[in-house]
Structure formats: C-alpha cells, structure tokens
Amino acid sequence: MIKERLLSALSAAVAELAPGSAAPSAHLDVPPTPELGDFSTDVALQVARESRQAPAAVARALAERLVPAEGSQLAALLDRVDVAPSGVLNFRLRSDWRETALHEACELGASFGRQDEGGEKILVEFVSADPTGPLTVTHGRGAVLGDAICRLLEATGHQVSREYYVNDAGTQAETLGKSLDAALAGRKEALGEYLETLASAFRAERASLGAAGIGSPQALAQTAAKVVVAEHRAVLERLGVRFDQWRSEAELHTAGRTDEALDLLRSGGHTYTSDGAEWLRTTAFGEASDHALRRGNGQLTYLAGDLAYHLDKFRRGYARVVDVWGTEHAHYVERTQAGMMALGIDPGSLEIVIFQPVRVRVDGMLVEGMASSSNGLGNPSGNNVPLEEVLERVGPEAARWLYLSRPSGVSLELDLDKDRLSDPTNPSVRVRSALSRAQSASAANPLERASPQTASLSAASPPQLLLANLLVRFPDEVRAAAADREPAHLSRYALSVADAYLAVADDATGAEADSSPPVLLSRATAVVLTNSLSILGFAA
C-alpha cells in the first residue's frame, strides 16, 4: 500500500514535469543498500533523455514536486527525497513507516494484498488433455499452474472463468474409437494397459446390451472420452483444481463454429487452395510459412479447430484469454497469434503461458515413463508417470507446493521418496510451521491488548526489520506475480517470510528478555502467510 501511494505521487510529478505521451511510466525499486533509502527510481534519467536535460536537474525538479503537503497521507509516510549525482531519486520513509504498514495489514486481515475492482473479464484455459489416457505428472503441473494463475488474477480484481477444452474430435479421438471397436470385435489390438482396462469395461457393457449396444466407432470414442474425462475431473479435484466450464471440441464442430471461423478467414482473403488443401496465409502476419487448415483428404487440421475455439472464446465476451500450454505446443504460439490477427482479433488479448515438463525420480533413479500409463496411440510427450500415482506417493498438498516451487519456464523434478508432506525439509512444512507459530503468538498476546513495547518496532533487531520489510511488500508481490502470470514468485516469497519469521521466533526463544517476537510481527506474519496460502490454493 505504501509503495502504491509513493508511485501515485511520483507518477503525478512525472506527468506534471513531462506531460504528453512521451512521459515514461514511474516505477520504484529497492536500493542495493539500506543506507541509500527505502525506495529508489531512475525515472528522472528517462525523462532527461526525452527532454534532453541534465538528469540531476530533472531529479531535483521531481523532488521539489514530491514534497508532501502537511497533514497529507504522503506526509505521514515520507520523510524526504534525496537526489543522487546520477539523477537517481532515493526515498526515505518516516521511521515508523513499517509499523504503520503492519498495523494496516493487521486491520485489513483477509483483504490485505487483494484488489476488488478494476479488473477484466478473463478466460483461462488449462490442462485440456486428450481424453485417451490418464493425466500425467506434467499435466499436473499445468493444472496447478493454471489454477494458481486464476487465483492471482482474482486476487487482483479480475473476473475469471476456468475452462477445460475436451479434445474429443480429430485424429486422436478417431483412433481411440477404431482401436476400441477393433478390440471389442475380437481383432488383435495393442492398446496398452490403460485402454485395455477401458476396453474390458466396454466388452462387459456390450455383452449386456448386444452387439450394437454401444454403436459405431465414433459413438464409442465419444462414450470413452466421457469416461476418461470423468476420471480426469476426479484426479484434478484431489489436487484442488476445479473448472467452471468443460468445452467439447466435437460440440464446437456440431454447432458450426468451425465453419464460421473458416468463412471469416475466407471472406478476409486470408486463405487459398493448393494441392487440394486449404491454407492460411500466416506468412502475411510474420510467420515463416503458411499452415494448412484443411488437408487434401478433407480433414480439418488442429489449427482450424483451435482458431475456431479461440474465436468462440472471444465471442463469449472475454476481454482477455490466457492459455496454459505444455512445451510440446510451443511451436503453435506464433501461428495461433497469426490466426488471431487474420480473424480480426487483437493478438495482445491472447496470452499463452508455456510451462516446461516434469521429470520423476524414484529410488534415486530418473523415471522416463511407465508402461502402465501408455495410451497406445503413439509416443506420449514428456514424462508420462500418472498424476494419480504422484498424489498417492507425496500427497496433494506437497505435490501442489512442488509444482509452484519453480518458475513455469524452468523444468521441474519430483522425487517421490523425498518430496512427501511428512518430510520436515518440505518447503510447505516450513511455511505451515511459521504460520502455526505466528498464530499461536498472536492468540497468546492479541495486538489490541499488547503493551507498547511488544506492539512496537522502535527497538527492532535486524532480523525483525528484515521480516517487517518482507511483510509490507506482500501487496506488491501479489500484483507482480499476477502481472507476470508466475505463481512461483508468490510461493518463494511466502517461503522467505516463513524462514524470516522462524529465525526471529527462534532468536526470541533463546533470549532472556523476551520469549516471543513482537506481537505486531506475529500478527502480520499470520495475515500474510494465510493470504499467500489462500491465493496459491491451499487451505490455511
């Protein structure tokens, strides 16, 4: 909140000094050493470049405009603004600013760090695995990442819908239906263990209904897809992931949405026919080559269906769409954005988050895959250890934390022997330990009944000041994680807060003068860790 107020004042000063569209956006950083101040900005250097003035002169002019009026909110926070010879502005806050901020955090409670208004209507699509086999450990990462992104967006004021796109049409679904139909007819098929189990269930059903009881291979594929999707839903619910909408690709085609998208592309002059196939001129939008929409045999390509699906998303009134894709789909990003432009949709309103796969280690050895999870329809990409097995081995909460422990663009490794929730080295255990101790200290000495000494930071030790500085950053950490679509930022921040609090609590326990941290720090830590866990999708 404090940083927000300073930014508002700084932005107003920049706009007054450098009016017009060329004025740079104001920003604040934490100086490399505390001696320089609490916040700093080099925005004066940017203004100086635009206006061709000396940076120090611009910085002095900005500093004069930042002198707070007596009695204002800024006067209650800001002590002074120093101008470095380089033109960098260093903000020094009042000595009691941390205390003021922490009292505000305690008063706000569950709403601290959250924003209620001013957001967009956003659709986030994630997981969307082919309904041809069980969810894998890598699907689990996409599920937790997508869910946490939704929670971050909601925490920053956006209206969010979660969607799972069921790929129950196309080549994969067709192959699934044909393979199951052949197995039911007694023809030899190498289905793999998972689909063999599914085929056995259908054999029993067909025996009870008669030879035509389940219908054609197409109908069989649709029925099988529903069975698999129900299993996906159950596993995801164990992981704490829910969806508002389950969208069917087959229903999209049946409703004519694909034909509408193709007609729109044709009417815009963005398609052509060559060698019997229909192509999209993606080279007109920066792609190195054009891409087929319909093959020479008349079958639609994945791109055709995907563009129709994205057009449908925006026609449902969403201002922004976020897709969470595995790295195997990374090569589709540019062609999808080109397709958006061809459809007349601002490509900036579609965000695609790419996450890296997950590897699993068991008994110290890397597991590249398990035959029991093979879908029998080709070589699965990434590690195909079943997600359900991971949840059984380490527990849903430990798995969720581990999925959020590293940035999405970095590969992840899970150790099914060491990464259990019962392991005291598990990061989520440290966070919960800190939360429990902070809550206990707060309950033993509530803030409203605390003495001035225990509720004040006037004689705070360096570890206590480090903790206080971390706590007051919480709203900024939430906003930054949401803006970057990167929940790992917040999980790492929460772990830093937990470790800082445990260090303070352990230090206080060993001291003769006091047996607990200042109650203000305990109460604020409990608020920040509770809210962090809630936003990340954990029950606090």
Side-chain angles (χ1 to χ4, degrees):
M1 300 300 178
I2 289 175
K3 187 175 180 181
E4 193 173 84
R5 292 170 190 166
L6 291 177
L7 268 176
S8 177
L10 179 60
S11 297
V14 170
E16 182 182 342
L17 186 65
S21 58
S25 298
H27 64 280
L28 289 174
D29 301 305
V30 177
T33 60
E35 293 76 15
L36 293 175
D38 297 293
F39 294 103
S40 66
T41 180
D42 63 357
V43 71
L45 281 68
Q46 300 176 54
V47 174
R49 281 196 294 269
E50 294 289 341
S51 59
R52 298 185 180 181
Q53 300 180 60
V58 173
R60 285 193 295 270
L62 285 174
E64 290 172 1
R65 287 166 169 78
L66 289 167
V67 175
E70 188 175 348
S72 67
Q73 281 191 336
L74 196 59
L77 301 174
L78 188 60
D79 182 17
R80 69 179 192 271
V81 181
D82 296 331
V83 179
S86 63
V88 171
L89 291 172
N90 292 313
F91 292 80
R92 295 185 182 275
L93 303 180
R94 289 170 56 97
S95 58
D96 60 352
W97 74 273
R98 296 179 186 85
E99 203 168 308
T100 301
L102 294 179
H103 275 288
E104 185 174 328
C106 294
E107 290 169 6
L108 289 171
S111 63
F112 181 54
R114 294 179 179 269
Q115 179 180 320
D116 296 328
E117 299 177 356
E120 297 177 307
K121 185 179 178 183
I122 301 177
L123 177 68
V124 183
E125 182 229 328
F126 55 109
V127 187
S128 300
D130 290 337
T132 55
L135 293 176
T136 68
V137 62
T138 296
H139 289 136
R141 186 180 197 183
V144 172
L145 173 63
D147 183 64
I149 288 174
C150 291
R151 292 172 181 272
L152 281 166
L153 291 172
E154 289 170 336
T156 48
H158 299 286
Q159 304 171 53
V160 180
S161 293
R162 298 157 168 81
E163 185 157 291
Y164 190 116
Y165 184 48
V166 181
N167 300 118
D168 53 359
T171 304
Q172 287 279 61
E174 181 181 338
T175 305
L176 169 66
K178 289 180 178 179
S179 297
L180 289 175
D181 186 63
L184 295 177
R187 297 193 298 274
K188 186 176 180 180
E189 287 287 328
L191 295 178
E193 184 177 333
Y194 179 80
L195 288 189
E196 180 54 46
T197 301
L198 189 61
S200 296
F202 281 120
R203 285 191 192 99
E205 184 174 352
R206 176 166 283 185
S208 64
L209 295 176
I214 299 179
S216 66
Q218 292 78 10
L220 184 59
Q222 292 296 313
T223 303
K226 291 177 182 177
V227 172
V228 176
V229 168
E231 294 178 358
H232 290 182
R233 189 193 299 256
V235 174
L236 292 170
E237 286 177 354
R238 285 192 63 195
L239 197 53
V241 176
R242 64 172 179 83
F243 289 89
D244 301 303
Q245 293 140 197
W246 295 73
R247 205 76 169 173
S248 163
E249 181 183 2
E251 291 177 6
L252 197 73
H253 293 324
T254 303
R257 297 291 183 266
T258 308
D259 291 336
E260 291 175 13
L262 292 176
D263 288 343
L264 186 59
L265 292 171
R266 292 171 189 137
S267 64
H270 301 302
T271 67
Y272 65 93
T273 302
S274 178
D275 298 327
E278 187 173 15
W279 298 79
L280 177 65
R281 298 182 193 275
T282 46
T283 50
F285 301 97
E287 275 277 82
S289 60
D290 293 333
H291 296 283
L293 295 169
R294 192 185 298 274
R295 300 183 181 90
N297 61 6
Q299 287 186 330
L300 291 172
T301 63
Y302 178 86
L303 179 62
D306 203 44
L307 293 182
Y309 174 45
H310 281 87
L311 178 62
D312 176 71
K313 290 179 181 179
F314 285 102
R315 284 185 170 176
R316 283 184 267 153
Y318 293 100
R320 185 171 300 277
V321 168
V322 179
D323 291 345
V324 181
W325 292 354
T327 188
E328 70 274 12
H329 294 294
H331 64 288
Y332 267 90
V333 173
E334 291 184 357
R335 71 185 67 174
T336 302
Q337 295 286 14
M340 291 295 96
M341 288 186 277
L343 289 168
I345 297 171
D346 177 10
S349 60
L350 171 63
E351 299 178 26
I352 299 175
V353 178
I354 300 292
F355 66 91
Q356 296 298 311
V358 182
R359 298 192 303 173
V360 169
R361 191 178 290 273
V362 178
D363 295 331
M365 301 291 291
L366 281 175
V367 180
E368 294 302 329
M370 290 186 176
S372 61
S373 67
S374 173
N375 60 21
L377 301 178
N379 295 320
S381 60
N383 194 302
N384 62 347
V385 174
L387 174 58
E388 190 169 16
E389 180 166 339
V390 173
L391 300 186
E392 289 294 333
R393 294 286 290 269
V394 305
E397 179 165 315
R400 188 178 183 96
W401 187 274
L402 290 162
Y403 280 133
L404 297 176
S405 65
R406 293 175 68 82
S408 56
V410 178
S411 60
L412 181 64
E413 183 176 299
L414 303 185
D415 190 317
L416 299 191
D417 300 309
K418 296 181 179 179
D419 290 332
R420 302 171 189 269
L421 186 60
S422 58
D423 191 320
T425 64
N426 190 293
S428 62
V429 175
R430 301 211 304 274
V431 173
R432 288 208 177 277
S433 175
L435 174 57
S436 177
R437 293 177 69 174
Q439 289 172 330
S440 297
S442 301
N445 191 7
L447 191 58
E448 59 270 17
R449 296 202 303 270
S451 67
Q453 290 76 24
T454 59
S456 171
L457 297 179
S458 58
S461 65
Q464 291 172 350
L465 289 178
L466 171 64
L467 173 60
N469 288 340
L470 279 171
L471 293 171
V472 298
R473 277 170 37 195
F474 178 60
D476 298 317
E477 295 289 339
V478 173
R479 281 192 289 271
D484 294 342
R485 314 298 191 239
E486 188 51 83
H489 292 345
L490 188 58
S491 67
R492 288 184 170 185
Y493 163 79
L495 184 58
S496 297
V497 169
D499 287 341
Y501 182 79
L502 292 173
V504 168
D506 291 341
D507 183 60
T509 301
E512 294 182 3
D514 194 4
S515 61
S516 63
V519 65
L520 180 59
L521 285 179
S522 294
R523 180 78 179 275
T525 297
V527 168
V528 166
L529 289 183
T530 297
N531 293 357
S532 296
L533 289 172
S534 175
I535 291 172
L536 290 171
F538 298 92

